[in-house]
Amino acid sequence: MIKNLVRTFGALSLALVPLVSAPAAHAAAPVAEVTTLAEAVGLVKVTEEDRTGYTRTKFKHWNSGDDASDGCNTRAEVLIAEAVVAPTVGAGCKLTGGTWVSYYDGQEVTSAGSLDIDHMVPLAEAWDSGASSWTAARREVYANDQGADVSLVAVTARSNRQKSDQDPADWMPPFPEAQCRYVGEWVATKLRWDLTADDRELEALKVYAEGPCEDTIVRYTQVA
């Protein structure tokens, strides 16, 4: 009886070992940082910007998106995700119908073709701020980043082209109610990708952080 009990206990112990010692099947997801806009602005590193060697083609976009099997590229996936009324997705990921709100200018848009997908921190600005030292693969990830809701945004073509590659020292959304959100998302993107700011940009961000946008909360998850 005792020997049987020992064998049974020993077998049970061996069976439990993998459950205790085996590594987790999936690594824990990164925890988002949540802070005030003023504190977030204080975390942005300051350096001089340098656009030497920049070309837009050094950031491959749009690629096959987050779901390579859906037949839609990054642009289309962002449009589908941000629609307030879902469009119909046809063959070749052709979008018909649907409604969007361009938060930069508060405009309601009912044609996907009238929208641009804006990089919150423009590609040229990203290059100036640190992306010039990245690999081509990392720049492609940046240019197609759907891992954060704020990285890519569907807005009217007019507002996107007015913004161009300017930072908040030179351009802000014309819709006043959008400005605090915009500054928060700009800073979140800089911190997510460990991008720097120049002196003029930082001072402009501080004006909003210490004034009309002092209650804005910034959430971001850094990219490894």
Side-chain angles (χ1 to χ4, degrees):
M1 174 69 75
I2 293 174
K3 289 182 179 179
N4 289 338
L5 287 174
V6 170
R7 290 194 187 99
T8 301
F9 181 76
L12 181 59
S13 298
L14 290 171
L16 289 173
V17 168
L19 297 178
V20 174
S21 61
H26 300 286
V31 177
E33 300 290 339
V34 181
T35 186
T36 64
L37 178 58
E39 290 178 346
V41 169
L43 295 173
V44 179
K45 300 169 189 173
V46 182
T47 62
E48 292 298 317
E49 294 184 351
D50 183 3
R51 195 158 296 184
T52 302
Y54 168 75
T55 61
R56 191 171 176 84
T57 56
K58 290 184 177 178
F59 293 80
K60 181 181 177 181
H61 67 290
W62 306 110
N63 64 19
S64 58
D66 278 357
D67 183 357
S69 68
D70 67 1
C72 298
N73 64 13
T74 300
R75 169 186 161 82
E77 288 182 355
V78 173
L79 287 170
I80 293 166
E82 295 194 2
V84 294
V85 175
T88 299
V89 182
C93 199
K94 181 179 180 180
L95 306 183
T96 55
T99 303
W100 294 262
V101 175
S102 166
Y103 93 82
Y104 288 0
D105 48 14
Q107 297 298 305
E108 183 176 286
V109 180
T110 56
S111 170
S114 299
L115 293 161
D116 281 355
I117 303 302
D118 182 38
H119 293 92
M120 174 54 60
V121 174
L123 302 180
E125 170 71 20
W127 178 271
D128 298 349
S129 307
S132 60
S133 65
W134 295 352
T135 64
R138 186 174 177 85
R139 286 195 289 269
E140 180 178 353
V141 174
Y142 177 85
N144 297 275
D145 182 19
Q146 295 184 67
D149 292 342
V150 304
S151 296
L152 301 171
V153 56
V155 294
T156 57
R158 179 181 180 183
S159 65
N160 184 43
R161 291 163 198 183
Q162 287 174 342
K163 171 183 173 179
S164 187
D165 58 10
Q166 299 175 94
D167 68 34
D170 297 308
W171 186 88
M172 287 290 289
F175 191 45
E177 288 83 350
Q179 293 180 353
C180 290
R181 173 182 170 182
Y182 181 79
V183 172
E185 294 184 355
W186 178 278
V187 174
T189 305
K190 287 256 167 162
L191 292 175
R192 173 171 170 77
W193 287 92
D194 195 27
L195 295 171
T196 61
D198 63 17
D199 289 329
R200 287 185 67 249
E201 177 187 345
L202 190 71
E203 288 307 309
L205 295 172
K206 285 181 177 179
V207 168
Y208 286 94
E210 296 169 3
C213 304
E214 62 181 352
D215 295 328
T216 298
I217 299 299
V218 174
R219 295 175 176 82
Y220 67 95
T221 303
Q222 283 194 315
V223 175

